[in-house]
Amino acid sequence: MNNDLKIHLSSILKESITRVSPLHGGDISNAYRIETSNNSYFLKLNEAINAAKIFQAEVYGLQLIGETNTIKTPRVLASDTFQNSAFLLMEFIENKSPSSNDFKNLGHQLAQLHKYTSEKFGLDQDNFIGSLPQSNKPNKTWIDFYTTERLLPQLELAKQKHLLSKMECPSVQKIKDVLKSLFKDIKPALLHGDLWSGNYIISKNDVPYLIDPAAHYGHHEVDIAMTKLFGGFNEFFYDAYDSNFTRDKNTSNRIEIYQLYYLLVHLNLFGRSYYGSVSTILKKYF
Ligand code: ADP
């Protein structure tokens, strides 16, 4: 990190920086731990053209989730651009590997977050899923939202990138017909929106935190679908979560359909290794 940025961050923090250590784990940005004599901070730097927007959307999501007082998010200290780089500065959460009790708390607190509702599906701001834009344009019904703002844009992008053929992509009508048979009585719930195991942290003093959200109002099973896609959550988490919401005979089918969105995003971001999983779900339902 260059010295000018260090001076700039010190002036924001009103503390002098004693140490800067690069961290691993982020897919999108470069991450650092910043230490002063009394405190630790977490910094993300990103020079991509849309980085300031990505960070702004992340901050908005962290605030929305944090304000519910159901599950914590790290406190954001600054989000701005300096020289050629966007940066996001927040409190550093000293983390540990989760115990069964931490998983239980995470499950309960996520369920409390999902009880936060809104009139419409979507959000008053668009955001990003990974580095791809994600439209949150409000729709009245979940079928419309999930078709128009989620599946269609990713199917379209996969076609443009020659990762899926026209034949493999279902029509709008076909998608809506299938969803109609599976989506009933769904209420908007505030979602993390990208809940893989790298996007929660358990602090040293046993407090679960959500990080790096793609927040919006949607069906609560979307977050559960993402937790199940790549694993890293255990039965203590699911038992605690399920004690707050009842499953029905279509839950497991919906979960696959929600995983389809994330798999399409992975196909579009990382290429053909995700084709098999995408194709299996497309063939099974559409
Ligand atoms: P990216 O947007 O690049 O994917 P993340 O926000 O997921 O970056 O952060 C990368 C990693 O840094 C996370 O997996 C987590 O381990 C760690 N991390 C993120 N936020 C904090 C924080 N506030 N305090 C401590 N560690 C953090």
Side-chain angles (χ1 to χ4, degrees), residues 84-222:
N84 288 329
S85 187
F87 69 87
L88 174 53
L89 186 64
M90 58 181 104
E91 72 176 303
F92 190 91
I93 312 298
E94 293 282 354
N95 56 77
K96 58 158 201 172
S97 39
S99 65
S100 0
N101 205 47
D102 296 326
F103 271 118
K104 204 170 128 186
N105 289 337
L106 181 65
H108 266 303
Q109 293 183 13
L110 182 71
Q112 298 315 307
L113 172 70
H114 287 170
K115 296 201 171 143
Y116 264 75
T117 189
S118 169
E119 302 221 314
K120 288 186 177 159
F121 297 96
L123 198 66
D124 55 1
Q125 270 194 26
D126 293 341
N127 49 22
F128 295 84
I129 181 73
S131 55
L132 293 179
Q134 175 171 266
S135 162
N136 292 322
K137 188 169 168 241
N139 279 235
K140 264 232 166 80
T141 75
W142 177 235
I143 295 174
D144 286 341
F145 184 85
Y146 197 68
T147 306
T148 315
E149 318 301 333
R150 291 292 176 266
L151 292 182
L152 285 178
Q154 295 301 328
L155 287 167
E156 201 45 53
L157 188 58
K159 258 193 297 186
Q160 276 170 28
K161 289 173 168 259
H162 304 289
L163 292 160
L164 288 175
S165 69
K166 198 166 173 236
M167 289 277 291
E168 287 172 300
C169 296
S171 68
V172 178
Q173 200 49 55
K174 178 73 191 171
I175 297 176
K176 289 194 176 176
D177 288 346
V178 172
L179 301 191
K180 222 175 264 169
S181 65
L182 295 172
F183 292 5
K184 303 246 159 70
D185 296 329
I186 293 174
K187 287 191 195 66
L190 185 55
L191 306 181
H192 174 279
D194 188 13
L195 196 53
W196 68 289
S197 63
N199 279 348
Y200 72 83
I201 297 179
I202 307 295
S203 76
K204 278 254 157 45
N205 52 346
D206 311 323
V207 180
Y209 282 78
L210 294 184
I211 56 169
D212 212 6
H216 60 282
Y217 288 90
H219 189 199
H220 67 89
E221 287 171 357
V222 167

